[in-house]
Amino acid sequence: MRRPFDKADRSTLARHAHLLSPSPASVALKLLGIAFCVLLVSGAAVAAYVAIDLTNRVGDGAVALEGDDDVAPPALGAYPDDRAFNILVVGTDECGEITTSYLGARCSEADGGIRNDVNLLVHVSAAPRNVTVVSFPRDLMVEVPQCTRVDGSKAPSMSKASFNSLFDHAGISCIAQTVTEMSGLPVEFAAKISFDGVIEITNAIGGVEVCVAGEGIHDSQAGIDLPPGTHTISGKDALAFIRTRHGVGDESDLARISNQQQYMSRLAKKILSAETLTDPSTVLRLANTVVDNIVPSEKLSNPLTLAQLALALKDVPFADFVFVQFPNAPDPDNPKSKVVPVDDAAEALWAALAAGEPIALSGDVTSHSGVVLSTPSPSAPPAETPTDAATPPATGTPDVRATLPPEISGQSVDQDTCSKGNQAK
Protein backbone atom coordinates (compact mmCIF):
# COMPACT_ATOMS: atom_id res chain seq x y z
CA MET A 1 0.00 0.00 0.00
CA ARG A 2 1.36 3.41 -0.90
CA ARG A 3 2.43 5.76 1.85
CA PRO A 4 -0.05 8.38 2.96
CA PHE A 5 0.87 11.94 3.68
CA ASP A 6 2.56 12.36 7.01
CA LYS A 7 1.77 16.02 7.37
CA ALA A 8 0.10 16.09 4.03
CA ASP A 9 -3.09 17.60 5.18
CA ARG A 10 -1.50 20.56 6.82
CA SER A 11 -2.62 23.23 4.39
CA THR A 12 -1.55 26.84 4.42
CA LEU A 13 -4.89 27.70 2.88
CA ALA A 14 -7.77 28.65 5.13
CA ARG A 15 -10.67 26.23 5.22
CA HIS A 16 -13.02 28.46 3.31
CA ALA A 17 -16.59 27.37 2.73
CA HIS A 18 -16.93 25.14 -0.29
CA LEU A 19 -19.30 25.44 -3.21
CA LEU A 20 -22.71 23.89 -2.81
CA SER A 21 -22.37 22.36 -6.22
CA PRO A 22 -18.66 21.54 -6.52
CA SER A 23 -17.34 20.65 -9.89
CA PRO A 24 -14.71 18.46 -11.34
CA ALA A 25 -14.22 21.36 -13.58
CA SER A 26 -11.46 22.51 -11.42
CA VAL A 27 -10.02 19.24 -12.48
CA ALA A 28 -8.95 20.75 -15.68
CA LEU A 29 -7.23 23.83 -14.51
CA LYS A 30 -6.11 22.24 -11.38
CA LEU A 31 -4.43 19.55 -13.22
CA LEU A 32 -2.74 22.01 -15.46
CA GLY A 33 -2.06 24.31 -12.63
CA ILE A 34 0.03 21.58 -11.16
CA ALA A 35 0.96 18.87 -13.51
CA PHE A 36 2.15 21.81 -15.45
CA CYS A 37 3.51 23.46 -12.44
CA VAL A 38 6.21 21.02 -13.26
CA LEU A 39 6.47 22.50 -16.72
CA LEU A 40 5.95 26.00 -15.56
CA VAL A 41 8.68 25.71 -13.09
CA SER A 42 10.81 24.18 -15.78
CA GLY A 43 11.48 27.58 -17.19
CA ALA A 44 10.95 28.78 -13.68
CA ALA A 45 13.65 26.51 -12.41
CA VAL A 46 16.27 29.01 -13.47
CA ALA A 47 14.25 31.82 -11.93
CA ALA A 48 13.79 29.75 -8.79
CA TYR A 49 17.52 29.51 -8.30
CA VAL A 50 18.06 33.16 -9.05
CA ALA A 51 15.16 34.39 -6.93
CA ILE A 52 15.84 33.03 -3.46
CA ASP A 53 12.47 34.12 -2.16
CA LEU A 54 10.75 31.99 -4.80
CA THR A 55 12.74 29.01 -3.61
CA ASN A 56 11.75 29.63 -0.02
CA ARG A 57 8.07 30.22 -0.81
CA VAL A 58 7.61 27.04 -2.82
CA GLY A 59 8.45 24.98 0.26
CA ASP A 60 6.28 26.99 2.65
CA GLY A 61 3.61 24.73 4.12
CA ALA A 62 4.67 21.70 2.07
CA VAL A 63 3.21 18.36 3.12
CA ALA A 64 5.05 15.09 3.64
CA LEU A 65 4.18 11.77 2.09
CA GLU A 66 4.59 8.93 4.54
CA GLY A 67 7.60 6.83 3.62
CA ASP A 68 9.40 9.59 1.71
CA ASP A 69 13.15 9.60 2.11
CA ASP A 70 15.02 12.84 2.67
CA VAL A 71 17.59 12.35 -0.07
CA ALA A 72 17.79 15.38 -2.33
CA PRO A 73 18.17 14.96 -6.10
CA PRO A 74 21.87 14.59 -6.94
CA ALA A 75 22.26 17.36 -9.51
CA LEU A 76 20.48 19.69 -11.86
CA GLY A 77 19.34 17.78 -14.91
CA ALA A 78 16.48 15.71 -16.15
CA TYR A 79 14.84 13.15 -13.89
CA PRO A 80 16.67 9.79 -14.32
CA ASP A 81 15.76 8.29 -17.70
CA ASP A 82 15.16 4.83 -16.27
CA ARG A 83 12.56 6.01 -13.74
CA ALA A 84 8.86 6.66 -14.23
CA PHE A 85 7.04 8.92 -11.78
CA ASN A 86 3.51 9.85 -10.76
CA ILE A 87 2.04 13.15 -9.58
CA LEU A 88 -1.31 13.27 -7.80
CA VAL A 89 -3.13 16.54 -8.43
CA VAL A 90 -6.00 17.27 -6.05
CA GLY A 91 -8.34 20.15 -6.79
CA THR A 92 -10.47 21.16 -3.81
CA ASP A 93 -13.69 23.13 -3.84
CA GLU A 94 -12.43 25.78 -1.43
CA CYS A 95 -13.63 29.33 -2.03
CA GLY A 96 -10.88 31.89 -1.61
CA GLU A 97 -11.21 35.64 -1.79
CA ILE A 98 -11.36 35.76 -5.58
CA THR A 99 -13.83 32.90 -5.97
CA THR A 100 -16.10 34.31 -3.26
CA SER A 101 -16.22 37.65 -5.07
CA TYR A 102 -17.44 35.81 -8.18
CA LEU A 103 -19.77 33.25 -6.63
CA GLY A 104 -21.06 35.06 -3.55
CA ALA A 105 -23.72 33.06 -1.74
CA ARG A 106 -22.62 29.81 -3.35
CA CYS A 107 -19.53 30.12 -1.17
CA SER A 108 -20.84 31.92 1.93
CA GLU A 109 -23.78 29.54 2.36
CA ALA A 110 -21.69 26.38 2.03
CA ASP A 111 -21.43 24.01 4.96
CA GLY A 112 -17.70 24.40 5.61
CA GLY A 113 -16.45 21.01 4.45
CA ILE A 114 -13.83 20.57 1.77
CA ARG A 115 -14.23 18.07 -1.05
CA ASN A 116 -11.65 16.82 -3.52
CA ASP A 117 -13.72 17.26 -6.67
CA VAL A 118 -10.68 17.19 -8.95
CA ASN A 119 -8.49 14.12 -8.82
CA LEU A 120 -5.82 13.62 -11.45
CA LEU A 121 -3.02 11.11 -11.67
CA VAL A 122 -0.25 12.35 -13.97
CA HIS A 123 1.87 9.37 -15.02
CA VAL A 124 5.20 10.00 -16.76
CA SER A 125 6.91 6.91 -18.15
CA ALA A 126 10.59 6.13 -18.16
CA ALA A 127 12.40 7.25 -21.31
CA PRO A 128 11.32 7.53 -24.03
CA ARG A 129 8.86 9.67 -22.07
CA ASN A 130 5.12 9.68 -22.54
CA VAL A 131 2.50 11.28 -20.30
CA THR A 132 -0.95 9.97 -19.37
CA VAL A 133 -3.29 12.03 -17.22
CA VAL A 134 -6.08 10.01 -15.61
CA SER A 135 -9.17 11.92 -14.43
CA PHE A 136 -11.15 10.21 -11.66
CA PRO A 137 -14.85 11.19 -11.57
CA ARG A 138 -15.76 12.85 -8.30
CA ASP A 139 -18.77 10.51 -7.92
CA LEU A 140 -16.74 7.34 -8.50
CA MET A 141 -17.47 4.79 -5.77
CA VAL A 142 -14.27 3.10 -4.60
CA GLU A 143 -12.87 0.87 -1.89
CA VAL A 144 -10.80 2.91 0.57
CA PRO A 145 -7.94 1.47 2.67
CA GLN A 146 -7.29 2.42 6.28
CA CYS A 147 -5.62 5.83 6.27
CA THR A 148 -3.59 7.85 8.76
CA ARG A 149 -4.87 11.35 9.48
CA VAL A 150 -2.65 14.37 10.07
CA ASP A 151 -3.09 14.02 13.84
CA GLY A 152 -1.87 10.43 13.72
CA SER A 153 -5.28 8.87 14.24
CA LYS A 154 -6.48 6.10 11.96
CA ALA A 155 -9.33 6.66 9.53
CA PRO A 156 -11.18 3.38 9.01
CA SER A 157 -11.22 1.57 5.71
CA MET A 158 -14.44 1.73 3.70
CA SER A 159 -15.78 -0.87 1.32
CA LYS A 160 -17.49 1.78 -0.79
CA ALA A 161 -17.17 5.55 -0.68
CA SER A 162 -17.44 8.49 -3.07
CA PHE A 163 -14.05 9.60 -4.35
CA ASN A 164 -14.68 13.25 -3.53
CA SER A 165 -15.25 12.46 0.16
CA LEU A 166 -11.69 11.26 0.75
CA PHE A 167 -10.10 14.61 1.57
CA ASP A 168 -12.54 15.20 4.42
CA HIS A 169 -12.18 11.56 5.48
CA ALA A 170 -8.40 11.61 5.94
CA GLY A 171 -6.70 14.16 3.71
CA ILE A 172 -4.53 13.93 0.63
CA SER A 173 -2.68 10.94 2.07
CA CYS A 174 -5.85 8.90 1.83
CA ILE A 175 -6.41 9.93 -1.77
CA ALA A 176 -2.84 8.88 -2.61
CA GLN A 177 -3.26 5.54 -0.86
CA THR A 178 -6.57 4.87 -2.59
CA VAL A 179 -5.11 5.64 -6.02
CA THR A 180 -2.18 3.34 -5.35
CA GLU A 181 -4.49 0.56 -4.18
CA MET A 182 -6.50 0.93 -7.39
CA SER A 183 -3.60 1.26 -9.81
CA GLY A 184 -0.62 -0.48 -8.26
CA LEU A 185 1.40 2.67 -9.05
CA PRO A 186 3.35 4.57 -6.37
CA VAL A 187 2.52 8.24 -5.91
CA GLU A 188 5.87 10.00 -5.49
CA PHE A 189 4.59 13.58 -5.68
CA ALA A 190 1.34 15.35 -4.88
CA ALA A 191 -0.15 18.82 -4.70
CA LYS A 192 -3.38 20.58 -3.85
CA ILE A 193 -4.86 23.64 -5.52
CA SER A 194 -8.10 25.57 -5.01
CA PHE A 195 -10.43 27.54 -7.31
CA ASP A 196 -8.47 30.75 -6.69
CA GLY A 197 -5.31 29.02 -7.87
CA VAL A 198 -7.02 27.94 -11.07
CA ILE A 199 -8.01 31.54 -11.81
CA GLU A 200 -4.61 32.99 -10.99
CA ILE A 201 -2.68 30.49 -13.13
CA THR A 202 -4.93 31.10 -16.13
CA ASN A 203 -4.49 34.85 -15.78
CA ALA A 204 -0.71 34.49 -15.49
CA ILE A 205 -0.41 33.13 -19.03
CA GLY A 206 -2.82 35.63 -20.53
CA GLY A 207 -5.82 33.30 -20.81
CA VAL A 208 -6.51 30.16 -22.82
CA GLU A 209 -8.22 29.91 -26.20
CA VAL A 210 -11.10 27.42 -26.16
CA CYS A 211 -13.46 26.22 -28.87
CA VAL A 212 -17.26 26.08 -28.58
CA ALA A 213 -19.46 24.13 -30.99
CA GLY A 214 -23.14 23.19 -31.05
CA GLU A 215 -25.56 25.89 -29.87
CA GLY A 216 -22.96 27.66 -27.77
CA ILE A 217 -22.63 27.40 -24.00
CA HIS A 218 -25.21 29.04 -21.79
CA ASP A 219 -25.37 28.02 -18.14
CA SER A 220 -26.76 30.56 -15.67
CA GLN A 221 -25.75 28.42 -12.70
CA ALA A 222 -22.09 28.50 -13.74
CA GLY A 223 -22.39 32.07 -15.00
CA ILE A 224 -21.28 31.51 -18.57
CA ASP A 225 -22.63 32.52 -21.98
CA LEU A 226 -20.35 31.78 -24.95
CA PRO A 227 -21.57 31.66 -28.56
CA PRO A 228 -20.11 29.13 -31.03
CA GLY A 229 -16.55 29.88 -32.08
CA THR A 230 -13.20 30.37 -30.40
CA HIS A 231 -12.77 32.46 -27.26
CA THR A 232 -9.79 33.45 -25.14
CA ILE A 233 -10.93 33.10 -21.55
CA SER A 234 -9.39 34.04 -18.21
CA GLY A 235 -10.49 35.05 -14.74
CA LYS A 236 -14.17 34.56 -14.02
CA ASP A 237 -14.86 33.21 -17.51
CA ALA A 238 -12.20 30.50 -17.16
CA LEU A 239 -13.64 29.41 -13.83
CA ALA A 240 -17.14 29.32 -15.29
CA PHE A 241 -15.94 27.33 -18.33
CA ILE A 242 -14.39 24.56 -16.29
CA ARG A 243 -17.31 24.55 -13.82
CA THR A 244 -20.13 24.39 -16.34
CA ARG A 245 -22.09 21.16 -16.37
CA HIS A 246 -25.47 22.09 -17.79
CA GLY A 247 -23.84 24.01 -20.64
CA VAL A 248 -22.13 21.01 -22.27
CA GLY A 249 -23.03 17.54 -23.52
CA ASP A 250 -25.74 15.68 -21.64
CA GLU A 251 -25.29 17.99 -18.63
CA SER A 252 -23.55 15.31 -16.56
CA ASP A 253 -20.36 15.51 -14.53
CA LEU A 254 -18.80 13.03 -16.96
CA ALA A 255 -19.47 15.34 -19.90
CA ARG A 256 -17.89 18.13 -17.89
CA ILE A 257 -14.68 16.10 -17.51
CA SER A 258 -14.42 15.82 -21.31
CA ASN A 259 -14.92 19.57 -21.58
CA GLN A 260 -12.20 20.11 -18.99
CA GLN A 261 -9.86 17.91 -20.98
CA GLN A 262 -10.29 20.23 -23.95
CA TYR A 263 -9.26 23.10 -21.70
CA MET A 264 -6.30 21.18 -20.29
CA SER A 265 -5.07 20.18 -23.72
CA ARG A 266 -5.15 23.75 -24.98
CA LEU A 267 -3.58 25.03 -21.78
CA ALA A 268 -0.80 22.47 -22.16
CA LYS A 269 -0.08 23.65 -25.69
CA LYS A 270 0.13 27.26 -24.57
CA ILE A 271 2.38 26.55 -21.61
CA LEU A 272 4.70 24.41 -23.72
CA SER A 273 4.79 26.88 -26.59
CA ALA A 274 7.87 28.91 -27.43
CA GLU A 275 5.71 31.99 -26.90
CA THR A 276 5.48 31.16 -23.20
CA LEU A 277 8.74 29.39 -22.39
CA THR A 278 10.99 31.87 -24.19
CA ASP A 279 9.45 34.89 -22.47
CA PRO A 280 11.28 35.37 -19.14
CA SER A 281 8.64 37.72 -17.73
CA THR A 282 5.83 35.25 -18.46
CA VAL A 283 7.79 32.33 -17.03
CA LEU A 284 8.66 34.22 -13.86
CA ARG A 285 5.08 35.47 -13.45
CA LEU A 286 3.83 31.93 -13.93
CA ALA A 287 6.36 30.55 -11.46
CA ASN A 288 5.36 33.10 -8.84
CA THR A 289 1.69 32.30 -9.39
CA VAL A 290 2.19 28.56 -9.07
CA VAL A 291 4.26 28.96 -5.91
CA ASP A 292 1.60 31.15 -4.32
CA ASN A 293 -1.34 28.93 -5.21
CA ILE A 294 -0.41 25.31 -4.55
CA VAL A 295 0.30 23.23 -1.47
CA PRO A 296 2.90 20.68 -2.66
CA SER A 297 4.21 17.53 -1.07
CA GLU A 298 7.68 18.03 0.39
CA LYS A 299 9.50 16.39 -2.52
CA LEU A 300 7.62 18.52 -5.02
CA SER A 301 8.54 21.66 -3.07
CA ASN A 302 12.23 21.17 -3.82
CA PRO A 303 13.14 23.52 -6.72
CA LEU A 304 15.74 21.07 -7.99
CA THR A 305 13.15 18.30 -8.14
CA LEU A 306 10.76 20.62 -9.97
CA ALA A 307 13.45 21.39 -12.50
CA GLN A 308 14.21 17.70 -12.99
CA LEU A 309 10.56 16.82 -13.56
CA ALA A 310 10.17 19.70 -15.99
CA LEU A 311 13.20 18.66 -18.00
CA ALA A 312 11.83 15.12 -18.17
CA LEU A 313 8.65 16.45 -19.80
CA LYS A 314 9.99 19.05 -22.18
CA ASP A 315 10.44 16.79 -25.24
CA VAL A 316 7.30 14.66 -24.97
CA PRO A 317 5.49 14.71 -28.36
CA PHE A 318 1.94 16.04 -28.21
CA ALA A 319 0.71 12.69 -29.58
CA ASP A 320 2.18 10.99 -26.50
CA PHE A 321 0.56 13.41 -24.05
CA VAL A 322 -2.85 11.88 -23.40
CA PHE A 323 -5.81 12.73 -21.15
CA VAL A 324 -8.13 9.85 -20.27
CA GLN A 325 -11.20 9.45 -18.10
CA PHE A 326 -11.09 6.55 -15.66
CA PRO A 327 -13.47 3.89 -17.09
CA ASN A 328 -16.77 3.84 -15.25
CA ALA A 329 -20.36 2.68 -15.45
CA PRO A 330 -23.54 3.56 -13.51
CA ASP A 331 -23.54 2.30 -9.94
CA PRO A 332 -26.23 -0.40 -9.62
CA ASP A 333 -27.01 0.92 -6.14
CA ASN A 334 -27.41 4.53 -7.32
CA PRO A 335 -27.39 4.68 -11.12
CA LYS A 336 -28.53 8.31 -11.38
CA SER A 337 -25.86 9.85 -9.17
CA LYS A 338 -22.88 7.53 -8.81
CA VAL A 339 -20.54 5.47 -10.97
CA VAL A 340 -18.34 2.44 -10.34
CA PRO A 341 -15.13 1.23 -12.00
CA VAL A 342 -15.21 -0.92 -15.14
CA ASP A 343 -12.60 -3.35 -13.86
CA ASP A 344 -11.44 -4.99 -17.12
CA ALA A 345 -10.87 -1.65 -18.82
CA ALA A 346 -9.17 -0.21 -15.73
CA GLU A 347 -6.80 -3.18 -15.57
CA ALA A 348 -5.83 -2.60 -19.21
CA LEU A 349 -5.10 1.06 -18.43
CA TRP A 350 -2.95 0.29 -15.39
CA ALA A 351 -1.08 -2.46 -17.26
CA ALA A 352 -0.23 -0.04 -20.08
CA LEU A 353 1.09 2.56 -17.64
CA ALA A 354 3.10 -0.01 -15.69
CA ALA A 355 4.66 -1.18 -18.98
CA GLY A 356 5.59 2.39 -19.91
CA GLU A 357 3.94 2.11 -23.31
CA PRO A 358 2.53 5.13 -25.14
CA ILE A 359 -1.26 5.10 -25.31
CA ALA A 360 -3.50 4.59 -28.33
CA LEU A 361 -7.17 5.40 -27.76
CA SER A 362 -9.85 3.30 -29.42
CA GLY A 363 -12.76 5.01 -27.64
CA ASP A 364 -14.42 8.35 -28.29
CA VAL A 365 -12.74 11.66 -27.49
CA THR A 366 -15.64 12.38 -25.20
CA SER A 367 -17.72 10.93 -22.44
CA HIS A 368 -21.43 11.81 -22.52
CA SER A 369 -21.08 14.15 -25.54
CA GLY A 370 -19.01 16.77 -23.72
CA VAL A 371 -16.89 17.63 -26.76
CA VAL A 372 -16.62 16.97 -30.48
CA LEU A 373 -13.52 16.73 -32.67
CA SER A 374 -12.64 20.02 -34.28
CA THR A 375 -12.40 20.05 -38.07
CA PRO A 376 -10.22 22.53 -39.97
CA SER A 377 -11.95 25.33 -41.82
CA PRO A 378 -12.63 24.42 -45.49
CA SER A 379 -10.92 27.65 -46.49
CA ALA A 380 -7.80 26.94 -44.49
CA PRO A 381 -4.82 26.03 -46.72
CA PRO A 382 -3.13 22.70 -46.03
CA ALA A 383 -0.12 22.87 -43.78
CA GLU A 384 3.14 23.00 -45.68
CA THR A 385 6.14 20.89 -44.75
CA PRO A 386 9.27 23.04 -44.32
CA THR A 387 11.76 22.35 -47.09
CA ASP A 388 14.56 21.95 -44.58
CA ALA A 389 12.63 19.55 -42.37
CA ALA A 390 14.64 16.48 -41.53
CA THR A 391 13.18 13.13 -42.55
CA PRO A 392 13.21 10.68 -39.64
CA PRO A 393 15.28 7.63 -40.48
CA ALA A 394 13.35 4.44 -41.16
CA THR A 395 14.00 2.07 -38.32
CA GLY A 396 11.87 -0.82 -39.50
CA THR A 397 10.49 -1.05 -35.98
CA PRO A 398 6.75 -0.44 -35.66
CA ASP A 399 5.58 2.13 -33.17
CA VAL A 400 4.49 -0.01 -30.21
CA ARG A 401 1.42 1.37 -28.48
CA ALA A 402 -0.98 0.04 -25.91
CA THR A 403 -4.48 0.28 -27.37
CA LEU A 404 -6.93 1.00 -24.58
CA PRO A 405 -10.45 -0.49 -24.57
CA PRO A 406 -13.25 1.61 -26.09
CA GLU A 407 -14.74 2.13 -22.63
CA ILE A 408 -11.94 4.65 -22.00
CA SER A 409 -12.55 8.07 -23.52
CA GLY A 410 -9.98 10.80 -23.89
CA GLN A 411 -7.79 12.82 -26.22
CA SER A 412 -4.16 13.55 -26.92
CA VAL A 413 -2.76 17.06 -26.88
CA ASP A 414 -2.29 16.98 -30.66
CA GLN A 415 -6.06 16.61 -31.12
CA ASP A 416 -8.26 19.70 -31.16
CA THR A 417 -11.72 19.35 -29.67
CA CYS A 418 -14.58 21.78 -29.15
CA SER A 419 -17.17 21.92 -26.38
CA LYS A 420 -20.53 20.59 -27.49
CA GLY A 421 -22.52 23.51 -26.14
CA ASN A 422 -26.04 23.60 -24.74
CA GLN A 423 -28.43 26.44 -24.03
CA ALA A 424 -29.29 25.56 -20.44
CA LYS A 425 -31.43 27.73 -18.18
Side-chain angles (χ1 to χ4, degrees):
M1 181 180 298
R2 189 57 183 169
R3 66 304 183 82
F5 279 81
D6 182 359
K7 298 175 287 184
D9 308 311
R10 184 192 65 207
S11 169
T12 58
L13 299 179
R15 290 179 61 88
H16 302 290
H18 70 276
L19 300 180
L20 290 175
S21 176
S23 99
S26 16
V27 118
L29 262 182
K30 296 172 178 186
L31 153 63
L32 283 180
I34 250 259
F36 289 72
C37 123
V38 167
L39 284 169
L40 308 182
V41 187
S42 72
V46 176
Y49 286 103
V50 174
I52 299 300
D53 97 303
L54 221 151
T55 302
N56 292 335
R57 282 159 46 216
V58 74
D60 186 29
V63 294
L65 292 173
E66 186 175 315
D68 270 353
D69 56 55
D70 296 323
V71 179
L76 179 61
Y79 199 78
D81 282 349
D82 61 346
R83 292 175 59 186
F85 59 89
N86 299 286
I87 307 171
L88 174 68
V89 182
V90 174
T92 58
D93 61 3
E94 295 161 282
C95 284
E97 181 179 350
I98 299 172
T99 309
T100 300
S101 70
Y102 289 153
L103 301 178
R106 295 179 69 82
C107 291
S108 61
E109 294 175 3
D111 62 20
I114 297 177
R115 287 174 286 189
N116 52 297
D117 280 340
V118 175
N119 304 278
L120 305 167
L121 181 66
V122 182
H123 173 79
V124 182
S125 73
R129 304 287 188 185
N130 60 77
V131 180
T132 306
V133 180
V134 183
S135 297
F136 296 93
R138 65 174 189 170
D139 296 320
L140 181 69
M141 303 302 291
V142 294
E143 184 176 353
V144 181
Q146 177 179 276
C147 300
T148 303
R149 299 189 179 98
V150 66
D151 62 3
S153 64
K154 298 296 183 180
S157 61
M158 297 182 285
S159 60
K160 193 175 185 181
S162 182
F163 211 107
N164 73 339
S165 69
L166 300 185
F167 186 85
D168 258 355
H169 179 61
I172 297 177
S173 62
C174 203
I175 304 169
Q177 283 182 270
T178 301
V179 168
T180 292
E181 288 289 317
M182 295 172 66
S183 66
L185 301 173
V187 177
E188 295 90 347
F189 309 99
K192 180 173 78 74
I193 186 170
S194 67
F195 281 128
D196 276 14
V198 169
I199 293 170
E200 295 280 30
I201 288 169
T202 311
N203 291 348
I205 61 169
V208 174
E209 184 180 86
V210 295
C211 174
V212 178
E215 302 173 348
I217 299 174
H218 177 78
D219 181 353
S220 58
Q221 292 188 41
I224 186 170
D225 190 358
L226 292 177
T230 57
H231 308 272
T232 298
I233 57 175
S234 59
K236 181 180 180 180
D237 290 336
L239 179 63
F241 184 85
I242 61 172
R243 287 189 65 245
T244 185
R245 188 186 79 192
H246 300 294
V248 293
D250 65 359
E251 305 186 29
S252 68
D253 285 324
L254 301 176
R256 176 162 49 188
I257 288 178
S258 292
N259 190 51
Q260 292 165 356
Q261 288 180 341
Q262 182 219 159
Y263 186 93
M264 289 188 287
S265 177
R266 291 173 181 267
L267 180 59
K269 286 180 181 177
K270 183 160 187 179
I271 289 174
L272 294 172
S273 69
E275 174 188 359
T276 298
L277 294 181
T278 60
D279 183 346
S281 64
T282 299
V283 168
L284 187 56
R285 182 170 62 251
L286 197 49
N288 273 282
T289 301
V290 169
V291 166
D292 287 340
N293 287 281
I294 67 167
V295 179
S297 61
E298 288 185 345
K299 277 188 175 180
L300 195 62
S301 72
N302 185 320
L304 185 52
T305 301
L306 284 168
Q308 287 187 315
L309 300 181
L311 290 169
L313 296 177
K314 67 183 180 67
D315 293 326
V316 176
F318 283 173
D320 291 338
F321 205 124
V322 182
F323 297 94
V324 301
Q325 185 174 145
F326 183 78
N328 61 85
D331 181 358
D333 296 329
N334 190 355
K336 292 185 178 180
S337 302
K338 302 294 182 181
V339 294
V340 293
V342 177
D343 291 333
D344 289 347
E347 288 175 8
L349 170 62
W350 301 137
L353 299 191
E357 298 173 353
I359 299 300
L361 296 170
S362 65
D364 199 347
V365 293
T366 183
S367 174
H368 294 249
S369 304
V371 297
V372 294
L373 271 174
S374 173
T375 55
S377 166
S379 60
E384 295 183 3
T385 302
T387 55
D388 60 348
T391 302
T395 63
T397 303
D399 185 12
V400 178
R401 290 181 175 269
T403 300
L404 297 183
E407 293 91 340
I408 300 177
S409 65
Q411 71 170 86
S412 57
V413 171
D414 67 343
Q415 291 178 298
D416 285 332
T417 58
C418 297
S419 309
K420 187 175 181 180
N422 292 327
Q423 293 290 304
K425 294 182 179 180

